Amino acid sequence: MGDEAGFDVGASLGVPALTAHRALTVAEDGPRRLRPGALDGRVVLAAGGAGAVGHAVIQLARWAGATVISTISGPEKARPATDAAAHHVINYREGDPAARIRRIAPDGVDIVAEVALGANLALDLAVLRTRGTMSTYANDGGKAVELDMRQSMLLNTRFQFLVLYTAGPEARTAAVEDVTAAVRDGALPVGEKHGLPLVRFGARPHRRRASSGGERCGRRGPGGRHIVTPGRPPCGRCRD
C-alpha cells in the first residue's frame, strides 16, 4: 500500500477489506480478481452494510462495477451504508425486503456477502439468482443455520464459507494486490462521511480518574473502526 493511502486508511482496512475481496471472488462464474469493470452487470447484496466487512464489500463491489444493494437492521444503520456508496439500502425489518430486492434485481442477486447466515438465509435464498453464490464470513447472532435443501439444490446455490487465514497464499496475495489498487484509485475511503467512523484511543488501558478509584472505565465507542494511537490519552473520562 503506497504512502498516499495515509495512516487512517492503512489502519482501517486490513482483515475487513481482504475478507470482502474474498467474498466477491469465489463465485463459480465470477472473477478471481477485482478491478474496474470486473463485476460489470453483476448485482451484489452486502448484508450488514454498516459493519466493517460489509462496508468494504460495498466499496470494492462499486469499484469493480457491480450494482450494490445493502441490507440493514434499522434506520440508524442506513446512513453508513449509503455513505459507503451502496446504490440501494433496504431495512430488512420493514415491509417485504425480498420483494424490494427483486424489484431492483428481477433476475436475482449474483453474490450475497453474508454476516449473519442463520438469521438471513431465508431472505438470501429468496433473492439469489440461479447458480448464485452465498459468501458467508460470520454468523452474527448465533442463530442455527437451517438449510432448505430443495430450494438450494434447485437454485444450484454455491455456499462459500470463508475465513481469511485459511484462504491460501494465492487468494491472500491477490486480495492484497487488488485492495492496494483500489486504495490507489481512491475507492476505499474511511471516516464518518464515508460510512466508517474512526474512534481513536490511546495505547494505554482505560481507567477511571483517581477520584473513582482508578478502576477500568469500561468505555466502548460507537460502531466503526477503533484506532489505537500510541501516546494518545485513552478518552476524556480517563486520567492522563
Side-chain angles (χ1 to χ4, degrees):
M1 190 174 296
D3 292 340
E4 71 276 4
F7 176 82
D8 287 350
V9 170
S12 301
L13 298 181
V15 171
L18 301 184
T19 300
H21 182 280
R22 178 69 173 162
L24 293 169
T25 55
V26 292
E28 180 179 3
D29 56 355
R32 291 294 178 264
R33 301 292 298 262
L34 295 182
R35 64 184 186 281
L39 293 174
D40 278 357
R42 308 294 179 101
V43 180
V44 171
L45 174 59
V53 177
H55 178 270
V57 167
I58 293 170
Q59 291 184 324
L60 282 173
R62 280 290 307 250
W63 176 65
T67 296
V68 183
I69 304 168
S70 181
T71 51
I72 46 91
S73 61
E76 74 282 357
K77 302 284 185 70
R79 182 63 182 269
T82 300
D83 289 345
H87 292 96
H88 308 276
V89 178
I90 293 174
N91 185 341
Y92 64 81
R93 291 177 174 170
E94 294 181 351
D96 186 344
R100 294 173 64 189
I101 292 171
R102 280 288 183 177
R103 283 196 291 271
I104 298 165
D107 295 328
V109 170
D110 295 278
I111 300 170
V112 178
E114 184 56 71
V115 67
L117 186 63
N120 297 333
L121 181 56
L123 172 60
D124 293 342
L125 287 174
V127 301
L128 193 68
R129 72 162 172 84
T130 303
R131 295 181 300 282
T133 297
M134 195 98 63
S135 300
T136 181
Y137 57 90
N139 190 28
D140 283 5
K143 183 178 179 180
V145 177
E146 298 181 0
L147 187 62
D148 185 325
M149 287 295 296
R150 179 176 175 80
Q151 186 179 17
S152 300
M153 291 168 65
L154 290 174
L155 285 172
N156 265 274
T157 303
R158 182 185 182 98
F159 286 92
Q160 177 70 55
F161 296 88
L162 62 96
V163 64
L164 182 64
Y165 310 110
T166 54
E170 291 185 6
R172 289 195 297 270
T173 298
V176 169
E177 292 175 353
D178 295 350
V179 167
T180 298
V183 170
R184 191 179 303 119
D185 286 351
L188 292 170
V190 300
E192 187 169 1
K193 70 178 181 178
H194 300 295
L196 192 69
L198 302 180
V199 183
R200 303 179 189 278
F201 294 110
R204 289 168 289 169
H206 284 225
R207 298 189 183 280
R208 292 192 189 277
R209 298 183 186 277
S211 60
S212 300
E215 69 274 18
R216 290 183 181 275
C217 79
R219 177 177 180 262
R220 297 184 65 186
R225 300 302 292 162
H226 290 188
I227 307 293
V228 177
T229 305
R232 183 186 179 93
C235 73
R237 300 180 192 175
C238 300
R239 62 188 182 184
D240 53 22

